Amino acid sequence: MIDKELICIVCPVGCHIRVRGLDNEHLGVSGNKCPRGEKYGIKELTDPRRVLPTTVSIRNASFARLPVKSSEPLPKNLLMAAMEEIKKVRVEAPVNTGDVIISDILSTGIDIVATRDMDRI
Ligand code: SF4
């Protein structure tokens, strides 16, 4: 039996939702004020994911770190491994917003992309 209370993080309302069911195939959600909460609650229990925002080292730019994020939410259980891969990377300026810094990280089909421009100095 699954019975878990969560706070929906899809919008600022932050509904307290409850996900219950016999197994992952038969889950019901209560407490959600809209259908997005139901989708979030079931996804959070069956395949939790997060967008990973972080920075990478950059050379020849006005700052030492370039902000990046995953192009799609990554499985939560891969976030630490993804950070280990990202730590190994050093990019060279210039970089434009949306440039792919790491393609297909951990064979997930998800890229790590730049979230700002950084000129060469
Ligand atoms: S259930 Fe709907 S209204 Fe409530 S926090 Fe989630 S998205 Fe917002």
Side-chain angles (χ1 to χ4, degrees), residues 5-7 25 35 41 46 64 79 95 102 119:
E5 290 185 11
L6 303 168
I7 295 175
E25 306 300 316
T46 57
L79 293 178
V95 172
I102 303 175
D119 292 333

Side-chain angles (χ1 to χ4, degrees), residues 8-15 17 31-38:
C8 178
I9 59 170
V10 175
C11 89
V13 173
C15 294
I17 62 175
N32 50 308
K33 287 193 171 77
C34 80
R36 290 181 299 167
E38 179 179 8

Side-chain angles (χ1 to χ4, degrees), residues 35-62:
R36 290 181 299 167
E38 179 179 8
K39 193 173 166 193
Y40 168 79
I42 291 172
K43 185 88 176 161
E44 188 65 7
L45 263 73
T46 57
D47 180 26
R49 289 173 177 253
R50 294 289 184 275
V51 171
L52 177 59
T54 183
T55 60
V56 296
S57 177
I58 186 167
R59 275 189 292 238
N60 300 314
S62 24

